[in-house]
Amino acid sequence: MEHLILFIPLFALILDTLLGEPPQYMHPICFLGNTATFLEKKLRHDQQNHSIAFLNGLLASFICIIIFSIIPTLFFLCIEKFLSYSFSFLIPIIGIFFSTLILYICIAPNSLIEHIHFVTKELENNNLIEARKKLSWIVGRNTEKMEESEISRACIETLSENSVDCFFASFIWAIIGYLLFSFTGIIFFISLHRTLNTLDAMWGKRNEKYEFFGKFVARFDDVLNYIPARISFIFIIIACLFTKNTNIKKAIFIGYKYRNTLASPNSAWAEAPYAGALNLKLAGPVVYGDFHCDYPYIGEGELSATKQHIYTALVLYKNSIIIGTLFTILSLFIINSFK
């Protein structure tokens, strides 16, 4: 029965395609966000003392890790222990069910694709106001004054960034988790990554407000994304072979040249090959709320992205997902063969 472990990535993708994301009122990631907001209000109050701010952020992070990663793992272990007495044949079935459920909750490719389509539909109708509004649903930057080319570039950047955070990383940690600790490892490492990645999105900003409170989650998230970001680079390059209107030579050259352009050790590893494949300049100066961030550009192509670039990026994104899924299935097959 355990050979069905191979189909966990496929089962999770099917659930994501058929069901989309769970409703907000029952989505664990929303519970995590609400918990993090509550803890921040209680603990992020002494910004002058950097050591206390860091320790408070560390405490808040560990509380979230316990609730959303350690407790689910212990819950599965308790079920596994109970079944081992008389119903051990059910352990693989329960393990596959929990692993698929956790993976489905932690990935969201279908939702991201849908939101990108919402934006492109407004661009097709020349409705910049609505396009800016719908883009703001999926990016943290200020979209109020964006023109069409900026909106298009932001969509492509979001696709590339989220290919690691919301997809590849979960699949890679599923492989590592199964290799180390079977089903328990899958549940623990996927939930740990999603917890830290969500907290990083909330607290990991390098500004006066979060510089020390969010330092732990920012560094820990960098560690957890280190391997997935570099493997995703390969997936995106391979996906160029199956995607029209992309340039694989530029994807390799620009991707490698600009892979370390941004301050984060992982952020540009997915964005740079997209820039090369589409012959665009991505990233660059952006505004978050009232903060102007003078980020460097990634790539050496055009700044004027179009709707067609978004369509090509969507196909590239989907093809890279297929390649990542096949890689995960093959990896699980190899690991399972030696167990």
Side-chain angles (χ1 to χ4, degrees):
M1 180 63 71
E2 191 162 335
H3 66 276
L4 290 176
I5 185 81
L6 309 181
F7 298 101
I8 286 177
L10 191 58
F11 292 157
L13 275 178
I14 290 172
L15 286 176
D16 181 65
T17 302
L18 295 179
L19 304 179
E21 290 194 82
Q24 286 191 4
Y25 67 88
M26 59 182 296
H27 200 313
I29 306 301
C30 293
F31 295 156
L32 170 58
N34 292 336
T35 303
T37 300
F38 172 80
L39 290 171
E40 181 183 346
K41 289 179 180 178
K42 295 296 182 181
L43 296 172
R44 192 187 62 77
H45 47 73
D46 190 347
Q47 293 297 104
Q48 301 303 316
N49 190 317
H50 296 167
S51 297
I52 290 184
F54 174 79
L55 289 173
N56 284 344
L58 185 65
L59 175 60
S61 302
F62 271 109
I63 292 173
C64 289
I65 290 171
I66 290 169
I67 295 173
F68 294 96
S69 182
I70 293 177
I71 288 178
T73 304
L74 291 176
F75 178 71
F76 171 74
L77 284 173
C78 289
I79 294 177
E80 188 177 50
K81 185 68 174 177
F82 172 77
L83 292 175
S84 65
Y85 291 112
S86 303
F87 305 96
S88 58
F89 67 93
L90 289 176
I91 291 176
I93 297 175
I94 299 299
I96 290 166
F97 171 79
F98 271 94
S99 299
T100 300
L101 183 63
I102 291 288
L103 192 56
Y104 156 63
I105 289 170
C106 292
I107 64 173
N110 188 60
S111 176
L112 178 59
I113 291 169
E114 284 185 350
H115 280 86
I116 296 294
H117 279 305
F118 292 155
V119 178
T120 53
K121 183 177 179 180
E122 300 301 338
L123 290 178
E124 288 172 353
N125 295 329
N126 295 315
N127 192 341
L128 283 182
I129 294 176
E130 279 300 309
R132 292 165 183 155
K133 177 182 176 182
K134 291 179 179 177
L135 177 64
S136 70
W137 297 349
I138 54 174
V139 301
R141 67 192 70 178
N142 191 326
T143 64
E144 292 179 1
K145 298 180 181 180
M146 282 188 174
E147 298 301 324
E148 180 174 336
S149 64
E150 295 173 298
I151 293 171
S152 299
R153 286 172 54 237
C155 286
I156 296 165
E157 290 164 14
T158 300
L159 277 172
S160 63
E161 292 167 1
N162 281 278
S163 65
V164 178
D165 291 340
C166 297
F167 188 79
F168 293 134
S170 293
F171 274 38
I172 297 302
W173 280 111
I175 295 170
I176 296 172
Y178 186 63
L179 174 65
L180 296 177
F181 305 110
S182 192
F183 295 111
T184 304
I186 294 178
I187 293 167
F188 175 72
F189 282 113
I190 293 178
S191 58
L192 177 65
H193 171 267
R194 174 50 55 216
T195 299
L196 268 297
N197 189 250
T198 303
L199 295 180
D200 178 61
M202 298 177 68
W203 301 340
K205 304 172 182 67
R206 287 189 173 181
N207 55 35
E208 184 179 348
K209 185 177 181 180
Y210 293 109
E211 174 68 24
F212 295 96
F213 184 82
K215 186 177 288 291
F216 171 76
V217 294
R219 298 294 80 79
F220 201 168
D221 183 66
D222 286 343
V223 171
L224 293 179
N225 271 336
Y226 189 87
I227 295 174
R230 284 146 184 81
I231 294 178
S232 70
F233 181 94
I234 300 171
F235 293 159
I236 294 165
I237 296 298
I238 297 173
C240 289
L241 292 170
F242 307 97
T243 308
K244 292 181 179 179
N245 302 317
T246 59
N247 188 321
I248 188 170
K249 291 183 179 179
K250 285 189 175 181
I252 296 171
F253 176 75
I254 297 296
Y256 188 78
K257 181 178 179 180
Y258 287 86
R259 71 196 188 283
N260 293 319
T261 299
L262 302 179
S264 167
N266 305 314
S267 295
W269 277 86
E271 204 165 335
Y274 267 79
L278 300 171
N279 193 33
L280 290 172
K281 279 184 180 178
L282 299 177
V286 295
V287 177
Y288 292 98
D290 296 326
F291 296 99
H292 181 272
C293 299
D294 195 21
Y295 295 138
Y297 285 106
I298 296 175
E300 299 172 0
E302 300 291 330
L303 274 173
S304 55
T306 65
K307 295 185 291 292
Q308 187 56 52
H309 285 114
I310 302 178
Y311 298 139
T312 304
L314 280 166
V315 177
L316 181 60
Y317 178 76
K318 293 174 184 177
N319 287 340
S320 66
I321 284 177
I322 293 171
I323 292 165
T325 303
L326 293 175
F327 173 82
T328 305
I329 291 172
L330 177 61
S331 299
L332 293 174
F333 172 78
I334 293 172
I335 295 168
N336 193 54
S337 298
F338 286 95
K339 283 201 171 189

